[in-house]
Amino acid sequence: MKSLRERAAEGLQVGDRFEIVRCLSDDDIRQFAKISRDYNPVHCDARYAELRRFKAPIAHGLLTASLVTEIGGQIGWLATGMSFEFKRPVYAGEQLTCHWYIAEIDDRGHAMAEVRVLNAEGVSVLDAKTSGVLPGAQERGYLKQMLAERDPTNGAA
């Protein structure tokens, strides 16, 4: 099975679908709070989260949305816009599956993707749309070179 990066190097098309599975940990949530400086107690304090009617602290919405950017980064998508609808809370340890679908590509390589992140029960926790610019021929050539060199800057490889 080809990696997301390999598929991008070959050229992306309308109808292409991508999927990743990930669990966000307590440490991921703590690190995101530190990086983003978003210390809302709903993410950091169990009692406060309970007062807000959550069973435990919840992941930041933008941390959950980082699954969108994980796929985008792997395929060389240069985002020009994103919109998110947060549907359900995400808890540490919960398995998430992110589904990407390229819905439109124009003649300039500008594209639109529809994204859905589902929990282990198959319930949507995040719906998103993202617009962006696809890698052109020159960038795809360089992606192929990077892959031939074992993609040394790719943390996911």
Side-chain angles (χ1 to χ4, degrees):
M1 187 165 158
K2 292 182 182 174
S3 72
L4 300 176
R5 182 76 44 96
E6 289 170 317
R7 290 178 62 195
E10 291 175 354
L12 301 170
Q13 306 293 324
V14 169
D16 281 351
R17 295 179 182 274
F18 307 96
E19 180 181 298
I20 59 166
V21 177
R22 189 166 160 201
C23 287
L24 302 175
S25 68
D26 285 317
D27 191 52
D28 291 329
I29 295 169
R30 279 191 296 276
Q31 286 185 44
F32 190 85
K34 185 176 181 181
I35 290 167
S36 67
R37 300 169 112 187
D38 177 353
Y39 293 104
N40 184 330
V42 76
H43 307 303
C44 307
D45 185 274
R47 177 69 180 122
Y48 187 87
E50 185 179 298
L51 290 169
R52 296 298 305 251
R53 295 187 168 77
F54 296 112
K55 62 183 180 183
I58 60 173
H60 301 73
L62 290 179
L63 176 57
T64 302
S66 72
L67 277 74
V68 177
T69 64
E70 180 177 345
I71 291 175
Q74 287 299 315
I75 64 173
W77 181 277
L78 181 59
T80 57
M82 293 184 189
S83 65
F84 304 112
E85 184 177 348
F86 303 101
K87 311 284 268 179
R88 301 273 189 281
V90 171
Y91 298 98
E94 188 173 16
Q95 180 176 296
L96 302 174
T97 304
C98 181
H99 299 274
W100 249 72
Y101 170 72
I102 298 180
E104 301 172 23
I105 301 174
D106 70 16
D107 58 352
R108 298 177 302 146
H110 292 223
M112 177 71 70
E114 299 169 359
V115 184
R116 178 163 278 177
V117 179
L118 306 176
N119 64 19
E121 290 78 39
V123 176
S124 178
V125 299
L126 170 70
D127 290 339
K129 289 188 189 257
T130 180
S131 56
V133 182
L134 302 178
Q138 188 173 7
E139 292 91 359
R140 289 194 311 274
Y142 190 69
L143 287 173
K144 289 177 185 173
Q145 179 183 336
M146 291 172 67
L147 287 161
E149 295 170 354
R150 307 189 85 180
D151 211 356
T153 64
N154 186 359

